[in-house]
Amino acid sequence: MLQAQNLSQRHSGVVQNANCVVMVPPKEFKFNAETAQDNEFQNQSALSDEQITQHAMAEFNQMVTKLRQEGVQVVVFDYPLGDVATPDAVFPNNWFSTTTDGAFYTFPMACTNRQYEVRSDELIQQLSFAGRTIARQDSLVEYQKQHAYLESTGVMVIDHINRTIYAALSQRCDREVLEDYAQRIGYERVVSFQTALPSGQPIYHTNVMMAIGESFCVICDEVIPEYERRFVLKSLAKDKQVISISLEQMNRFCGNILQLETVNGDKVIAMSRSAYESFSPAQRTQLSSHGKLLPFNVETIESIGGGSVRCMLGEVFLPARSHTL
């Protein structure tokens, strides 16, 4: 039944999964003290900055190569070094998003040194070179002046099929900006909720606790207060197979995964090696029914950066002029 539903959705132009992603090389990557103030997933390292860069670049390059081999279009967005270092540039999904009607959005980032990652004109040019059509640009960056932030698909996990945005509210996810963006893209439903880690602090980005595919969802629902949890799970379960993960699994980035399509329409699910190994055999079997599992060793990036494979992938839904890899 789900297969028939998904087929009709493709025919009607609804797309859940991108077949193209933007990836940014981690050439300035290191521990970011500014983001660590509310990102409990970051860890200091005994490695030198040079060693960190070397390890991170190796992880990045093997991930790009493997995704391309599988048939996912990867746009590597390199950039010139500026006066301000951007250690988290490897996580581009936090500052831009795209839509199937050719819109390119930029977002207000909470951390000052991350705001320097936003290079809209350069990325748009790169996407055009890659055969993608940009029809219009829009920006919510002006909210930064009000200290209101919305870090794109870091804080928004989107069910495009049901035109619904799920978002854990935090310093990096302001309700007003969230509602504004939903209105701009014409999505009728916003399901926002509170979260709490054992420390009492909220989850810094929704995409470390949940992921939504075409017909499945992975979620660490135990971090959601019980009075909101039931509503969130009921909403997801309407047409998704809900795979619940534990707090320990979330800490191993089991929630930070992303279903993609190849240029031939095959489904793949990108995740870190640590996430793959932390899923139970039964959960891996469930996920495998939704696409080929692609585990990547990004242990340096996810340990020091506090984000994993999904954070490294900026989805591109822009119309394609070609299928150039």
Side-chain angles (χ1 to χ4, degrees), residues 68-321:
R68 285 175 169 168
Q69 287 173 346
E70 292 293 334
V72 177
Q73 183 181 5
V74 179
V75 177
V76 175
F77 179 49
D78 205 346
Y79 62 96
L81 299 180
D83 295 332
V84 178
T86 53
D88 283 339
V90 70
F91 304 131
N93 77 308
N94 300 146
W95 68 262
F96 83 94
S97 74
T98 58
T99 61
T100 54
D101 64 354
F104 181 99
Y105 289 88
T106 49
F107 293 85
M109 306 273 279
C111 299
T112 304
N113 64 11
R114 295 214 64 190
Q115 294 169 7
Y116 289 90
E117 296 173 26
V118 181
R119 298 176 174 90
S120 305
D121 293 343
E122 296 93 330
L123 180 53
I124 286 170
Q125 184 179 48
Q126 192 84 24
L127 290 169
S128 182
F129 287 155
R132 298 285 163 160
T133 300
I134 297 91
R136 62 186 179 87
Q137 296 182 55
D138 198 358
S139 174
L140 293 94
V141 173
E142 67 272 9
Y143 278 105
Q144 282 175 189
K145 297 174 184 175
Q146 303 173 31
H147 303 290
Y149 310 107
L150 187 72
E151 296 191 345
S152 190
T153 52
V155 297
M156 296 183 291
V157 175
I158 305 177
D159 178 356
H160 295 287
I161 292 169
N162 293 303
R163 303 170 72 84
T164 301
I165 300 174
Y166 293 85
L169 298 173
S170 69
Q171 174 188 321
R172 307 197 197 188
C173 182
D174 180 89
R175 192 191 300 272
E176 180 187 349
V177 193
L178 175 65
E179 297 282 355
D180 187 355
Y181 176 70
Q183 187 173 30
R184 293 189 196 198
I185 64 171
Y187 279 24
E188 294 88 357
R189 289 188 74 229
V190 174
V191 179
S192 59
F193 49 88
Q194 305 293 330
T195 60
L197 293 166
S199 65
Q201 295 302 307
I203 295 278
Y204 84 103
H205 274 166
T206 314
N207 73 3
V208 296
M209 62 161 287
M210 70 180 294
I212 291 176
E214 209 170 61
S215 53
F216 75 93
C217 170
V218 172
I219 182 168
C220 181
D221 53 283
E222 68 180 90
V223 300
I224 305 174
E226 188 176 351
Y227 69 94
E228 292 181 304
R229 184 188 312 157
R230 289 192 297 271
F231 178 79
V232 173
L233 290 174
K234 184 178 179 182
S235 177
L236 291 166
K238 285 178 182 176
D239 61 354
K240 309 288 183 194
Q241 179 183 35
V242 178
I243 301 171
S244 183
I245 58 173
S246 67
L247 189 67
E248 183 180 356
Q249 287 178 308
M250 181 188 72
N251 289 335
R252 298 285 288 168
F253 294 101
C254 289
N256 200 241
I257 69 176
L258 183 64
Q259 186 183 43
L260 297 166
E261 280 193 18
T262 70
V263 290
N264 296 321
D266 297 323
K267 301 290 190 301
V268 297
I269 303 175
M271 64 183 67
S272 72
R273 187 177 67 184
S274 65
Y276 178 85
E277 292 173 351
S278 298
F279 281 117
S280 70
Q283 288 171 328
R284 284 198 290 269
T285 298
Q286 287 177 309
L287 286 169
S288 295
S289 70
H290 301 285
K292 180 179 179 180
L293 306 188
L294 300 181
F296 299 98
N297 177 11
V298 291
E299 59 186 357
T300 309
I301 292 172
E302 66 182 4
S303 174
I304 298 172
S308 189
V309 164
R310 194 275 170 266
C311 300
M312 298 170 65
L313 301 170
E315 295 156 287
V316 178
F317 290 102
L318 300 167
R321 297 194 304 273

